[in-house]
Amino acid sequence: MSDWLEHTVQVEIPTTIEHVWALWSDLEQMPNWMKWIDSVKVRPDNPDLSVWKLASGGFEFSWQSKIVRQIHHQIIQWESVDGLPNKGAIRFYDRGAEGSIVKLTVAYSVPTVIRQLMDGLALGKVVESSLQADMNRFRDYALKDARSS
C-alpha cells in the first residue's frame, strides 16, 4: 500500500509574469534553484517529456515526467510516467505592477509504512520547508536574471 503526500508553497516576485514564466518553463534550468534536483533533460524527440534526477546526501532517484496540461502564463501541470511516482503543478498569477505570484504544488507516492515514519519524524515539514527554500531561491534567481537582462 502507498499514500500520496502533497505540499504547496508559493512566493511573490516583483517581476513580470513573462519573465517568471520564461524561466520556469525552461525545465533544464531547474537545478539553478531546486536544491535536490541534480538535472533535468527535456527529450528532443518529445518536448512534453523530460528525464529528472534527484540527488542528495548519497541517495539518487530518476524518473520521466510528462507535461499533461500547460496554459501560457498560467499553469504547467505534470505527472511522472515512470520511476519516482510524483505529480504536481506550478501556477502563475499576474499581479500587474506588483509582480507575480508563483505557487508550486508537489505530490508524491510513498509506502504507507514510510508515511507513518515521516509523520512521526515530521519529515513532511522538512520537505515543505525545503520546497519553500527552493521557491525563495527561484525568486532570487529571477530577480538577478531580470537585472542582468
Side-chain angles (χ1 to χ4, degrees):
M1 295 276 308
S2 65
D3 294 328
W4 283 88
L5 300 178
E6 183 175 292
H7 306 282
T8 299
V9 295
Q10 73 178 34
V11 67
E12 292 186 43
I13 306 172
T15 191
T16 66
I17 195 80
E18 292 83 2
H19 187 69
V20 295
W21 175 269
L23 290 174
W24 200 280
S25 61
D26 181 359
L27 298 179
E28 292 186 353
Q29 286 198 59
M30 234 27 98
N32 289 319
W33 59 82
M34 298 205 71
K35 179 180 175 182
W36 292 6
I37 302 299
D38 189 57
S39 66
V40 180
K41 301 292 181 203
V42 174
R43 299 253 318 255
D45 60 324
N46 184 345
D48 284 343
L49 292 175
S50 52
V51 177
W52 294 66
K53 185 171 132 186
L54 181 147
S56 180
F59 68 91
E60 186 176 297
F61 296 101
S62 294
W63 67 94
Q64 186 169 232
S65 186
K66 179 179 182 169
I67 294 175
V68 294
R69 182 174 175 221
Q70 183 169 321
I71 301 172
H72 192 70
H73 290 177
Q74 293 182 30
I75 188 170
I76 302 170
Q77 190 172 358
W78 75 90
E79 62 184 37
S80 62
V81 293
D82 71 7
L84 185 66
N86 69 89
K87 58 187 173 183
I90 185 81
R91 291 176 177 83
F92 303 85
Y93 302 92
D94 188 352
R95 305 222 0 169
E98 295 178 38
S100 309
I101 295 176
V102 182
K103 184 175 184 178
L104 172 66
T105 300
V106 175
Y108 51 94
S109 177
V110 295
T112 302
V113 67
I114 300 294
R115 161 110 192 227
Q116 292 167 347
L117 177 64
M118 286 180 73
D119 288 347
L121 297 176
L123 291 176
K125 290 188 187 319
V126 171
V127 171
E128 196 159 299
S129 174
S130 178
L131 289 171
Q132 185 62 59
D134 288 341
M135 293 301 287
N136 293 342
R137 274 189 294 279
F138 175 69
R139 178 194 59 224
D140 297 344
Y141 184 85
L143 291 174
K144 181 180 175 188
D145 184 72
R147 284 191 293 268
S148 67
S149 296

